[in-house]
Amino acid sequence: MSLSAPVASTRGSWVVLQTRLVANETGKGVRLMWRRRSMVVVGMAMLALNYLGITFFIGGGHVVEPLMVETLPALLAVVLASTAAVQGSGGIAEEIYGGTLEQAQMSPATPQVQILGRIAALAVEGLAGAVVLGAVFALGFGLDYDLHPAALVPGVLTVVDALGYGLLLAALTVRIASIGAITHVFNMVVMFFGGMIVPITVFPDALETFAQFVPTALGVQAVNTTMAGEPLSATWSDGTLPWLVVHAGVLVALGLVTYIVNIRHAQREGGLSPR
């Protein structure tokens, strides 16, 4: 009898187990989100009002439709990024202060599985809010978008980029539990330099270069390019899409590594319980 069959079976069982553990963590996060659904609705409404107020201010009391067409995708990216950052960081801090993060380490789920499940639940919350807000503004103001399938590629990468940003801030919270104020500052940077107020393309050269390092900014640029009728190859030839792939990959990898390192450090130093 070949040894490869038992090895393959064991490997398959491990994959199934890890998938099930991630699904369990995701389900737990979604259930917790549903319990605080009223706060989620209030948060989305505040973001929508802020965006609408900024739009009226820039338009001198009127909605400038071409401007809203370019900035609405950035609003949706901000919704996802801020949800992942605030709820991810806040959830970790709450568990540290409550002592439950230490208890969670006794679970058969590894730290990386736990955090991936948590981020997946936040993706559901953020995407739900983004879809609702996008539909409200697009239909309410009659915005004309060319929903080309090519926009799905930068769209998915933007989601990964936003979740990587939230993952990194959640990872930093394990070491710096009082990072909440810093998180809000970072979210404001994403709002301004990510294209929610004005398109990134109107920035001076120096600011435009800086903006390309801000989470979701490259994704918003690529999405706007494809929805303007340009082929996906245009985002590749101008460097936006390849840099977006690198940016999203680096954020996710950095977030995972930082979380694992900080969890292990906290286990050694007793940092998983109230400081």
Side-chain angles (χ1 to χ4, degrees):
M1 180 178 177
S2 174
L3 293 176
S4 61
V7 171
S9 176
T10 302
R11 189 173 300 167
S13 300
W14 183 86
V15 171
V16 170
L17 174 62
Q18 297 303 309
T19 303
R20 185 177 298 171
L21 289 173
V22 171
N24 287 342
E25 292 294 325
T26 303
K28 181 178 72 175
V30 171
R31 288 192 297 272
L32 289 173
M33 176 202 72
W34 183 250
R35 290 181 182 177
R36 54 179 176 79
R37 56 188 179 276
S38 58
M39 296 303 299
V40 173
V41 172
V42 170
M44 295 299 129
M46 292 301 296
L47 267 174
L49 289 175
N50 285 336
Y51 173 72
L52 199 56
I54 291 169
T55 301
F56 278 124
F57 177 78
I58 293 176
H62 301 85
V63 172
V64 182
E65 186 176 318
L67 177 65
M68 183 174 279
V69 166
E70 289 199 50
T71 57
L72 183 57
L75 169 65
L76 308 187
V78 166
V79 169
L80 181 57
S82 61
T83 298
V86 173
Q87 300 300 337
S89 175
I92 293 290
E94 184 178 342
E95 290 196 19
I96 290 174
Y97 291 132
T100 54
L101 187 61
E102 188 171 23
Q103 296 173 8
Q105 304 314 306
M106 296 185 289
S107 164
T110 60
Q112 53 266 40
V113 166
Q114 293 180 27
I115 193 63
L116 285 176
R118 185 189 297 266
I119 291 298
L122 293 176
V124 173
E125 178 180 341
L127 286 171
V131 168
V132 171
L133 287 185
V136 168
F137 279 106
L139 296 176
F141 291 95
L143 303 181
D144 185 21
Y145 283 106
D146 181 11
L147 299 178
H148 197 277
L152 286 174
V153 175
V156 170
L157 288 171
T158 305
V159 170
V160 175
D161 201 33
L163 296 177
Y165 162 68
L167 173 59
L168 180 58
L169 287 180
L172 292 174
T173 308
V174 178
R175 183 71 69 93
I176 313 168
S178 57
I179 200 174
I182 300 175
T183 299
H184 288 292
V185 172
F186 285 161
N187 284 343
M188 291 178 66
V189 171
V190 174
M191 288 173 62
F192 183 80
F193 292 102
M196 193 188 97
I197 297 177
V198 292
I200 302 165
T201 51
V202 305
F203 287 166
D205 291 342
L207 280 182
E208 186 174 358
T209 301
F210 171 77
Q212 292 177 350
F213 291 93
V214 174
T216 72
L218 287 167
V220 170
Q221 277 188 289
V223 167
N224 280 337
T225 299
T226 52
M227 289 201 300
E230 296 290 335
L232 187 62
S233 58
T235 64
W236 186 268
S237 60
D238 66 10
T240 306
L241 191 59
W243 277 115
L244 174 58
V245 173
V246 172
H247 196 280
V250 168
L251 271 182
V252 171
L254 185 60
L256 273 176
V257 171
T258 303
Y259 186 77
I260 294 169
V261 169
N262 284 349
I263 283 288
R264 290 175 179 172
H265 176 271
Q267 287 174 327
R268 292 194 306 268
E269 303 296 329
L272 293 176
S273 54
R275 323 254 216 266

